[in-house]
Amino acid sequence: MELKIISPQEGGFVKEIQWNNEELKAEISEKMQDYKNLVFTEETIKEAKKDRANLNKLKNAFEDERKRIKRQCMAPYERFEAQVKELIGLIEEPIRLIDAQIKEVEEQKRQEKRKGIEELFGSIGFQNFVTLDMVFDEKWLNASVPMSKIEEQMKSRMYEIGNGIMTIRNLPEFSFEAMEVYKKTLDLPQAIREGQRLSEIQKKKAAYEEEQRRMAEEEKARKQEEEAEKASVNQQEEKHPEAVEEREELVEQPEKIVRLDFRVWGTREQLLALRNYMKDNHLKFGKVE
C-alpha cells in the first residue's frame, strides 16, 4: 500500500508565476516619484483626495489579482488535502480500537501487579499504623519495575520509618504528640516541628502562669498593707477623735486659711521633723496656751 502522485509529477508543479512584474515596477516607481515632493494646499485638497482614490483603486486591483492566482494555485492542493484526510480518518478508527484494547490489557496487568504488591506489603512486616497507600509508588505498577526492586524499596522504607520512630521517642518533650503526627504523615521533620511547637507553647504558658502568680502575690501584699494602714488609722482616730474633725474641716475648706489647735504625740525626732515640715511649707504655728 503506497501513496502515488500521478499528476503533476515531480517537477510538474508551478515553480514560477510569470507576469510583467518588472515593467509595472518601473512604470509605477516613476509615477510615484511625482508624489514624493508634492505639497497639497487647501485649494488643491480636492485633487489630493482624487489621487488617493485612484492609488487605492490601483492597489486593490493588484490585491484582487494576487488573491485570484492564489486560489487557482491552492485549489488542487486543497482537494488533495481533503482526500488525504479522508483516508487518514479511515485508518485512525481501527487505531483507536486497537489502542483501547491495548490499554485494557495493560490495565489488567497493572491491577494484577497491584494485587501482588499488596501481598508483598503484608509479608514485609511494616509497623501497624502504616498502610500501603502511605508508602505506595505509582512507578511500581510499570512493567519495567520488577517485584524484587519493589521489595527492596519497601524494606528500605520500613527501616526508615523505624528510625523515625526511635528519633521521636528520644524527644525530650511532647514525643507522644509528635508520634501522632508521624503516624498520619510519615513526615519526620513535620513531626519534630510539631513537638517543638508544643514545647514553645508550654514554655510560654509556664511563663504566663508564673507572671500571673507573681502579680497576684504582689496584689495580695498591697491589699494587706493597705488594710494594715487602714487599721492603724482607725486606731489613731479612736484614740484622738478631735484629729478626725480637724482633718474633715481641712478637707471641706482646702482653699481657706484656718487655724487648727491640736496636740501631737511622737518622738523627739518625729516632732523636729514635723516642725521642719511646717517651716518648709510656710505654715504658721506656735505654742497652745
Side-chain angles (χ1 to χ4, degrees), residues 151-186:
E151 182 178 3
E152 178 185 342
Q153 292 180 357
M154 278 190 180
K155 289 181 178 179
S156 176
R157 188 72 174 105
M158 181 184 65
Y159 298 143
E160 181 184 341
I161 294 171
N163 291 333
I165 292 173
M166 294 300 297
T167 300
I168 293 174
R169 284 177 178 173
N170 290 329
L171 291 177
E173 296 177 306
F174 297 99
S175 60
F176 175 82
E177 289 79 2
M179 184 66 73
E180 290 302 304
V181 173
Y182 189 64
K183 287 180 179 179
K184 294 178 181 178
T185 65
L186 295 183

Side-chain angles (χ1 to χ4, degrees), residues 264-278:
V264 178
W265 288 263
T267 63
R268 183 173 182 278
E269 288 77 14
Q270 290 174 331
L271 296 176
L272 289 174
L274 177 60
R275 186 188 65 180
N276 293 335
Y277 172 82
M278 290 189 290

Side-chain angles (χ1 to χ4, degrees), residues 93-264:
E93 184 177 359
I95 289 176
R96 288 192 295 269
L97 294 174
I98 295 171
D99 186 57
Q101 294 184 41
I102 291 173
K103 288 182 178 178
E104 183 178 353
V105 171
E106 290 180 344
E107 182 59 27
Q108 289 177 354
K109 289 183 177 180
R110 287 169 64 89
Q111 292 300 326
E112 291 175 0
K113 190 172 186 181
R114 184 178 179 91
K115 290 181 180 179
I117 292 173
E118 290 174 354
E119 294 175 358
L120 176 62
F121 174 80
S123 66
I124 291 294
F126 273 93
Q127 295 79 3
N128 57 9
F129 62 85
V130 180
T131 64
L132 176 58
D133 290 338
M134 295 173 75
V135 297
F136 190 79
D137 188 342
E138 285 293 330
K139 294 179 181 178
W140 291 348
L141 297 177
N142 295 339
S144 59
V145 182
M147 292 297 291
S148 59
K149 183 69 173 178
I150 297 172
E151 182 178 3
E152 178 185 342
Q153 292 180 357
M154 278 190 180
K155 289 181 178 179
S156 176
R157 188 72 174 105
M158 181 184 65
Y159 298 143
E160 181 184 341
I161 294 171
N163 291 333
I165 292 173
M166 294 300 297
T167 300
I168 293 174
R169 284 177 178 173
N170 290 329
L171 291 177
E173 296 177 306
F174 297 99
S175 60
F176 175 82
E177 289 79 2
M179 184 66 73
E180 290 302 304
V181 173
Y182 189 64
K183 287 180 179 179
K184 294 178 181 178
T185 65
L186 295 183
D187 188 332
L188 182 59
Q190 180 181 348
I192 293 175
R193 286 195 299 272
E194 178 64 12
Q196 292 172 342
R197 184 184 71 85
L198 293 174
S199 178
E200 289 297 321
I201 292 175
Q202 181 65 23
K203 290 177 182 177
K204 291 179 180 178
K205 180 181 178 181
Y208 171 77
E209 291 176 348
E210 176 61 22
E211 178 65 14
Q212 292 297 310
R213 185 192 62 78
R214 183 187 62 79
M215 293 174 62
E217 290 181 353
E218 291 180 353
E219 180 66 15
K220 181 179 179 181
R222 185 185 64 78
K223 288 182 178 180
Q224 290 176 346
E225 184 178 351
E226 289 180 353
E227 290 175 359
E229 291 178 356
K230 185 177 180 181
S232 177
V233 170
N234 290 337
Q235 291 177 358
Q236 292 295 327
E237 289 177 350
E238 290 175 359
K239 293 180 179 180
H240 308 285
E242 68 277 6
V244 178
E245 298 175 0
E246 293 164 358
R247 185 166 64 250
E248 290 176 352
E249 184 179 351
L250 287 173
V251 172
E252 291 173 359
Q253 300 177 357
E255 301 298 328
K256 295 181 180 180
I257 297 176
V258 296
R259 188 184 72 180
L260 178 64
D261 297 335
F262 64 96
R263 289 186 176 86
V264 178

